[in-house]
């Protein structure tokens, strides 16, 4: 995927579904440039995941048995990138097994649909139970202000 520079690193012009920025905004997708893009990494606006969390957040202790949560420490505009959901990458069979095995426990398995090229949709499954970052705790606060 590439930004508005319109040119991939090998000189080809970008075309297709991903260049329809109105479509991307409508589904809330994060558009991320990579090594295939000829843009300037220092100024490109499509490298939010690579740059890391841009807003101040606080990890807070909730009520006695509730654990921890994350709240925004500053105003975050709607639709902004906050954090990448990190964890162990697993396959669909392992996800089904874990969901059955952990029945009744908190679920930290996320299914992410990634649009690759014009027609291919790839599903990535992330289990954040044992390995995670602050994204796992978003909306877990007793008084959340980050959804």
């Amino acid at each position: 995927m590439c930004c508005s520079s319109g040119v991939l690193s090998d000189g080809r012009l970008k075309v297709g579904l991903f260049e329809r920025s109105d479509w991307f905004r409508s589904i809330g997708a994060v558009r991320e440039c990579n090594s295939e893009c000829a843009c300037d990494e220092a100024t490109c606006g499509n490298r939010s995941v690579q740059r890391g969390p841009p807003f101040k957040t606080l990890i807070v202790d909730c009520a006695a048995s509730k654990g921890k949560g994350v709240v925004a420490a500053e105003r975050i505009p709607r639709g902004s990138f906050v954090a990448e959901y990190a964890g162990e990458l697993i396959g669909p069979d392992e996800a089904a097994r874990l969901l059955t095995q952990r029945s009744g426990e908190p679920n930290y398995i996320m299914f992410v649909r990634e649009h690759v090229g014009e027609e291919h949709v790839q599903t990535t499954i992330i289990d954040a139970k044992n390995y995670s970052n602050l994204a796992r705790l978003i909306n877990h606060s007793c008084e959340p202000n980050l959804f």
Side-chain angles (χ1 to χ4, degrees):
M1 187 175 326
C2 190
C3 68
S4 59
S5 71
V7 181
L8 298 173
S9 59
D10 63 3
R12 291 178 293 139
L13 293 176
K14 62 182 180 160
V15 295
L17 180 67
F18 296 106
E19 284 61 57
R20 292 175 31 205
S21 60
D22 58 331
W23 179 80
F24 260 78
R25 279 192 292 276
S26 73
I27 65 166
V30 173
R31 186 175 177 160
E32 192 77 7
C33 285
N34 57 36
S35 61
E36 294 294 312
C37 189
C39 66
D40 179 5
E41 290 184 32
T43 60
C44 179
N46 292 332
R47 293 182 180 266
S48 55
V49 175
Q50 296 167 51
R51 290 188 180 110
F55 300 104
K56 293 178 184 169
T57 56
L58 301 171
I59 296 177
V60 296
D61 287 315
C62 294
S65 64
K66 299 289 186 184
K68 298 191 179 295
V70 172
V71 294
E74 63 182 299
R75 186 183 179 290
I76 300 175
R78 169 175 261 156
S80 296
F81 168 77
V82 175
E84 175 183 25
Y85 195 80
E88 180 182 3
L89 296 179
I90 60 175
D93 293 340
E94 178 69 358
R97 186 186 72 73
L98 289 173
L99 288 169
T100 301
Q101 176 186 326
R102 297 175 184 166
S103 179
E105 296 178 29
N107 175 24
Y108 298 107
I109 296 175
M110 180 178 285
F111 291 74
V112 180
R113 296 187 63 195
E114 301 173 89
H115 295 265
V116 182
E118 286 189 48
E119 298 178 15
H120 180 70
V121 178
Q122 171 182 316
T123 300
T124 301
I125 306 169
I126 305 165
D127 177 12
K129 179 170 178 156
N130 298 315
Y131 307 98
S132 65
N133 62 2
L134 70 89
R136 180 182 114 169
L137 302 174
I138 290 176
N139 199 28
H140 284 218
S141 170
C142 295
E143 296 181 30
N145 67 351
L146 182 59
F147 302 91

